[in-house]
Amino acid sequence: MSGVDTNNRISRKSFIAQVAAFTLLPLACKSKYSHIKGSILGANATKGHQLRREIPQLPHTKSAKKVVIIGGGVSGLSAARQLQKNGVTDVVVLEMNDTPGGNSLSGKNEITAYPWGAHYLPIPDCADKELLSFLHSCGVITGFNKNGLPIYNEEYLCFDPEERLFINGYWQEGLIPKFGVPLAEQAQIKRFLSEMDNYRKAIGNDGKDAFCIPVNKCSNDYTYKRYDEITFEQYLKQNNYNSTHLIWYLNYCTKDDFGAGIDKVSAWAGIHYFAARKGKAENASHDDVLTWPEGNKWLVNQLQKGLEGQIITNALTYSVKQNQKEKIEVTYLNGDDAHLIEADVVVLATPNFINKHIVEQELLTHQQLNANAMPWMVANITVKRFFEYTKGLPLSWDNVIYGNAGLGYINATQQHLNQPSDKNVFTFYYPFCNKSAAEERQRALGLSHKDWVEIIIKELEMAHLDIVNHIEQIDVWIWGHGMVLPEPGYQKKLASLQPAHPRIKYAHTDFSGISIFEEAFHQGIHAANEIIKQYATNV
Amino acid sequence: MDSIPKVSKREFNSHMLLLISVFVVATCGLIYELVAGTAASYLLGDSVTQFSTIIGVYLFSMGIGSYLSRFFNHNLLAWFIQIEIMVGLVGGFSSTILFLLFGFLSYFRLVLYSLVGFTGILVGLEIPLLMRILEKKYEFKELVSKVFTFDYIGALLASLIFPLVLVPYLGLLRTSLFFGILNILVALIVCNRFSGEIAWSGRLKFIAILSIIALTLGFTYANELLSWSEASAYQENVIYAKSTPYQRVVLTQSKKDLRLYLNGNLQFSSGDEYRYHEALVHPAMQSQTTPENVLVLGGGDGLAVRELLKYKQVKQIFLVDLDKAITNLFTTNELLTTLNQHAFSNKKVKVTNADAFIWLKENKLKFDCIIVDFPDPSNYSVGKLYSQTFYKLLTQSLSDNGVAVIQSTSPFIARTSFWCINNTLKSVGFNTIPYHAYVPSFGDWGFHIAYKSKQLITADTFTVNTRFITNEVFKQMQMFPPDIAYMHTEVNKLNNQVLVNYFEHEWSRYQ
């Protein structure tokens, strides 16, 4: 060794040092998240907010239709479908976005389709013949057994394992906290669930189910409707429910279905969440759900079948007025051109807050709900396959982390029949519900992609310590106005609505107070049936 | 010895340096030979043959090297250094090359012997060249005595430290890389010492330093090159390990057998796989008078196909396996194609790399026989391939009188799982024949024949050549003693995945 030229050693040393410096320097400058791609999508706020301005433009074309449906969400499509089934085909649906679906939108990458919003449908009640018939027509129900119970296509029933909750360092099965939960609290949770079970079976003095779907079929018995007057939080206090774990779980549930916690939603809505689901099936039970990689966009696609040519996308309706002929003139923007349609009847399948911006005052009498809708963030996260160091149930459909503000994530490939590849997509749901809807909306729209990445990763790291190294992309969708918030008094407000203008029909879950697929589906059918009745009596 | 006083101290040191380099070179040379022999035994098995052929080729190549040394007439020192560098690189990386290429080459032996031969030639050149460099400095008898003394001491040292120290502590990859570094270090020192006598000494030094860096990098990242931690998890020597997008593929070789593991689960041992594959294929095939179209789902090792090809009536075999890496390995690797008798190169065989569930869902063809050879239902993803929905698709792809056979895990270890598969098959309208065979490396292993027709006539005799299964043996396979007898279970569905739960419970109790 003594013979080694010292100059050589130095040069070798410095050579290595230089190589190291060149490769390591950029790494040191990079942030922990800089490898994560993605952007903020959706919301279509700029487009929608055009409504706030006057659009002084003469219509480019004029045409006439029997029915114009404004809004191509589930309610609007369901109305169009019901009309068509009953022979009313001179119908057009105006959808603001480039694809119908409303809250049930989806995206797709090379790995899978994934939802941007609503993503499952619980097994419906057997009394809901219309929904069963729709599901039968699109192959979700393959047939009925000899007792009349539907048989579901197992490709659409959520695959096992369905739900897991990360609590006390362990992934337990199911979302109701139990692992490491003190026995006294477990007893309280049990008491709560059995009380909800009783409400599920309860029948009001008018012979109707105390709680069911659709909401307008629920009993008006004050024994149950009085829960509309208080918050869910007040109800829980009155009934001595104070278990931290139970309260967390109930907050999770109401946030999941209504976008806000127990302090904001009514006790009636809170109980409805637990007591209204009474689906039965040959091969599933009331807590089973139907789901698809693209979420409820799959159902939207089925609703759309047969409506080809009746849906106009990128059609921003900005004016609904009555003309001298007492018909309704609907004007919409498509690109830069305005178009006018003269309609016998207009279905407002739009969120209620939109209506006052587009419909003239005289047509809107007594139909102002002033409903609040909390903002939401949905993220789709592309992850490379990683090893879970945590114990318990492996990756499930719904993965929730106890104690987090977010609602956890859905495995978008859960319903894939094929073997998993080396990448996956998680759909992450995050409601904004601490302050008022307007304040939260401002906050949600003010956050940058970098902020979002940080929020999401911090939540995921609670259960997946090294997940940041496995994330490739995070795309974020902001829903400025998410789902209707069923505040105390909301059901009463709905009950006291005056009859609408005869040429205007409403079809939106804002008129149920609960934003779920079933309600939207029935809202559409209800509006369509009224139109069909009107035509029948006029003829 | 009387020549010593004639040289200065510096000259003496130079001579000693050259002699020490003889010692190092000899040690390195033998190490490369041992590494090649050991790697070949690891990878190909049969250590006696491997060692003997490798020593033979190596010594012969050294002879060629010695012969070639006569053509080197000028700049002997420069040549010596260049050869040192080259031998350090080739020898140092030899084991790395062998391990990395094992999975990809059909002519692995050719590469192996070429490497051994090339190293041998280079090493064979070294001693003659050194002797000629030193010939002017020593008397002939002293020269021969000194050079060969150092040479043989080096050999002794190598042969002792190789099994006792190097392989246990460094592993094969690092051993050869380490000696590669040593080899080039000698070249560097010699080059430095004699830089005045060597043309291009600067350039040679630079090349030597680059080579040392390359070998050091290899040495540092040897673990990444081949996962030794994984190797230690297996009792046998890991000869191939690769992560595909779907699974971790590991091949091991021991004196007894060759084994394939997927995600750590044994798929077959070459010692007794014929028992498994005969039991899997022949009872179902023998029930068909003219099995023309056959489908294999899974079975990317081609061993079931090997058995199927024994039937001359078979016109077409479709094999659907998820992982291209597996089917490629079993199409090209010499060792593995010997085992499956080149099944995938047969004209009747059409290999498709696709997901079996999706493939079956889209399939319009009808098959007389379907062999379902998936891994055990040890996770929720594989569990889907044992579900009611999957078996419904299976009935649709089967001809009216066709027959399917399903590998069904061990009825002894996982009794509930085994009968759950049976009950799930029956729930979609299949009739079943459960049976089980003893496969030593697996234990008592279960299968189900499933068919739609009212009755299945199993043949009286097995018409093809078999080592294990006969009519009597098959009859006995259908007997289930009380400890593994039928039991009621739930039906495995996509939305309950009971089988995965049964399986996990039963196997965890067993392990």
Side-chain angles (χ1 to χ4, degrees), chain B residues 15 51 73-74 114 198 356 358 378 450 453-454:
Chain B
H15 299 166
F51 264 102
N73 293 321
H74 308 286
S114 308
I198 303 163
I358 305 296
S378 60
S453 50
K454 284 210 177 82

Side-chain angles (χ1 to χ4, degrees), chain A residues 3 155 160 385 416 418-419, chain B residues 192 245 355 361 381 384 494:
Chain A
E155 273 182 48
D160 201 53
R385 186 162 58 183
H416 282 211
N418 53 340
Q419 297 298 300
Chain B
N192 204 45
D355 190 273
K361 203 176 169 196
S381 311
K384 292 175 187 175
L494 290 172

Side-chain angles (χ1 to χ4, degrees), chain B residues 386-389 391-392 417 419-430 432 489-493 498-499:
Chain B
Y386 290 81
S387 67
Q388 215 184 18
T389 309
Y391 291 146
K392 274 182 202 157
S417 308
W419 293 109
C420 173
I421 296 170
N422 180 68
N423 294 337
T424 307
L425 285 165
K426 284 192 157 171
S427 76
V428 301
F430 272 126
T432 61
T489 70
E490 281 188 64
V491 167
N492 188 43
K493 297 177 185 181
V498 288
L499 179 61

Side-chain angles (χ1 to χ4, degrees), chain A residues 431-500:
Chain A
F432 287 82
C433 53
N434 293 333
K435 297 181 187 161
S436 76
E439 283 171 292
E440 291 289 7
R441 195 146 36 241
Q442 204 177 4
R443 195 187 134 214
L445 294 171
L447 293 172
S448 70
H449 183 260
K450 212 178 128 214
D451 299 330
W452 282 118
V453 167
E454 215 168 306
I455 290 174
I456 293 164
I457 288 176
K458 276 205 176 119
E459 290 229 333
L460 291 176
E461 275 176 344
M462 302 293 288
H464 308 293
L465 205 57
D466 61 340
I467 192 144
V468 64
N469 304 323
H470 305 281
I471 294 179
E472 286 191 342
Q473 184 161 344
I474 297 182
D475 287 319
V476 171
W477 188 296
I478 311 293
W479 294 95
H481 308 262
M483 311 178 294
V484 59
L485 178 64
E487 291 166 296
Y490 199 84
Q491 287 299 315
K492 198 175 167 193
K493 206 192 280 182
L494 287 176
S496 58
L497 284 177
Q498 300 297 307

Side-chain angles (χ1 to χ4, degrees), chain A residues 1 3-5 8 12 15 154-155 157-161 283 385 393-394 414 416-420 422, chain B residues 185 192 205 209 213 244-246 322 355 357-358 361 380-382 384-385 388-389 493-497:
Chain A
M1 288 287 205
V4 176
D5 188 327
N8 265 331
R12 192 173 74 205
F15 172 74
E154 281 168 16
E155 273 182 48
L157 282 170
C158 180
F159 295 173
D160 201 53
N283 55 351
R385 186 162 58 183
L393 204 65
Q414 181 78 3
H416 282 211
L417 291 169
N418 53 340
Q419 297 298 300
D422 51 350
Chain B
L185 223 48
N192 204 45
K205 272 188 234 170
I209 288 167
I213 290 173
T244 76
Y246 303 102
L322 183 63
D355 190 273
F357 212 131
I358 305 296
K361 203 176 169 196
Y380 291 104
S381 311
V382 182
K384 292 175 187 175
L385 298 169
Q388 215 184 18
T389 309
K493 297 177 185 181
L494 290 172
N495 62 328
N496 68 12
Q497 293 255 22

Side-chain angles (χ1 to χ4, degrees), chain A residues 246-298:
Chain A
L246 176 64
I247 300 296
W248 174 84
Y249 173 63
L250 298 178
N251 264 312
Y252 164 81
C253 293
T254 57
K255 283 198 257 177
D256 194 36
D257 255 31
F258 312 122
I262 56 172
D263 58 327
K264 286 202 172 66
V265 307
S266 74
W268 191 86
I271 298 169
H272 187 275
Y273 176 93
F274 291 95
R277 306 252 152 89
K278 22 194 124 181
K280 278 192 191 130
E282 153 95 359
N283 55 351
S285 64
H286 72 85
D287 51 1
D288 279 325
V289 300
L290 298 158
T291 188
W292 301 265
E294 64 270 54
N296 288 3
K297 178 70 175 168
W298 190 89

Side-chain angles (χ1 to χ4, degrees), chain B residues 177-385:
Chain B
L177 289 164
F178 176 74
F179 279 87
I181 295 169
L182 221 58
N183 219 326
I184 299 176
L185 223 48
V186 166
L188 192 64
I189 294 166
V190 171
C191 186
N192 204 45
R193 190 60 178 264
F194 296 97
S195 55
E197 298 171 38
I198 303 163
W200 306 105
S201 76
R203 183 181 286 185
L204 283 178
K205 272 188 234 170
F206 179 70
I207 293 171
I209 288 167
L210 272 190
S211 307
I212 288 175
I213 290 173
L215 287 162
T216 314
L217 282 177
F219 189 84
T220 318
Y221 293 108
N223 278 335
E224 279 71 20
L225 288 172
L226 205 136
S227 171
W228 287 105
S229 57
E230 181 166 43
S232 62
Y234 297 89
Q235 290 178 344
E236 312 88 17
N237 300 318
V238 173
I239 57 171
Y240 175 81
K242 192 185 175 193
S243 286
T244 76
Y246 303 102
Q247 54 203 345
R248 180 85 182 150
V249 183
V250 170
L251 271 173
T252 69
Q253 172 85 62
S254 71
K255 277 181 208 142
K256 298 199 302 278
D257 61 358
L258 174 79
R259 290 178 173 223
L260 172 70
Y261 292 86
L262 298 180
N263 295 333
N265 300 315
L266 177 64
Q267 301 302 301
F268 70 76
S269 147
S270 63
D272 59 17
E273 56 77 19
Y274 67 92
R275 280 192 160 218
Y276 175 88
H277 290 103
E278 285 185 9
L280 176 72
V281 168
H282 298 305
M285 283 295 279
Q286 291 290 344
S287 72
Q288 299 292 300
T289 41
T290 48
E292 292 183 347
N293 295 308
V294 184
L295 170 66
V296 183
L297 298 174
D301 53 27
L303 298 172
V305 174
R306 177 195 67 201
E307 295 300 316
L308 288 168
L309 285 167
K310 290 180 178 172
Y311 295 84
K312 297 287 167 276
Q313 313 95 300
V314 170
K315 286 186 178 153
Q316 207 167 23
I317 301 170
F318 281 83
L319 180 125
V320 180
D321 192 281
L322 183 63
D323 204 337
K324 198 173 184 153
I326 294 279
T327 50
N328 279 355
L329 189 64
F330 281 86
T331 310
T332 53
N333 183 280
E334 206 185 333
L335 203 62
L336 302 173
T337 51
T338 312
L339 198 61
N340 68 21
Q341 293 173 8
H342 300 274
F344 292 153
S345 306
N346 193 295
K347 277 185 192 138
K348 289 179 180 176
V349 181
K350 189 179 178 328
V351 177
T352 310
N353 293 113
D355 190 273
F357 212 131
I358 305 296
W359 190 91
L360 208 56
K361 203 176 169 196
E362 285 159 9
N363 172 50
K364 300 274 185 296
L365 303 168
K366 298 272 183 190
F367 294 94
D368 304 312
C369 182
I370 303 181
I371 313 276
V372 183
D373 192 13
F374 294 134
D376 279 349
S378 60
N379 64 53
Y380 291 104
S381 311
V382 182
K384 292 175 187 175
L385 298 169

